[in-house]
Amino acid sequence: MNRLNQSLAMLLGFAALVAIGWFSGLIPLILSWVQIAVQFALFLFLLPIVLAILGIINFFMPRSYR
């Protein structure tokens, strides 16, 4: 088997594994876990920034509005 046929067979095998994983529901499940983890990390990253902005607004707000 020459190099091109070997690469083609490996690519087709990888595509078959991806198709089996996709249609069995394993890959979408992993992607949903990754999405939840990314959203949680983004929330934890943005929470202190939002709280700091609200604190600055609260600090400089005139007393008559409180």
Side-chain angles (χ1 to χ4, degrees), residues 25-63:
L26 184 62
I27 293 177
L29 181 67
I30 293 172
L31 288 178
S32 68
W33 289 346
V34 169
Q35 178 188 2
I36 291 170
V38 168
Q39 286 180 347
F40 186 67
L42 189 63
F43 174 75
L44 289 181
F45 173 74
L46 290 177
L47 185 64
I49 297 172
V50 171
L51 290 178
I53 291 172
L54 289 175
I56 291 171
I57 291 172
N58 190 28
F59 181 76
F60 288 108
M61 184 179 287
R63 300 278 183 208

Side-chain angles (χ1 to χ4, degrees), residues 1-9:
M1 188 182 297
N2 62 11
R3 197 93 165 133
L4 181 64
N5 286 341
Q6 185 179 5
S7 298
L8 188 60

Side-chain angles (χ1 to χ4, degrees), residues 4-27:
L4 181 64
N5 286 341
Q6 185 179 5
S7 298
L8 188 60
M10 189 175 71
L11 186 65
L12 286 175
F14 181 70
L17 285 176
V18 169
I20 290 170
W22 182 265
F23 289 113
S24 69
L26 184 62
I27 293 177

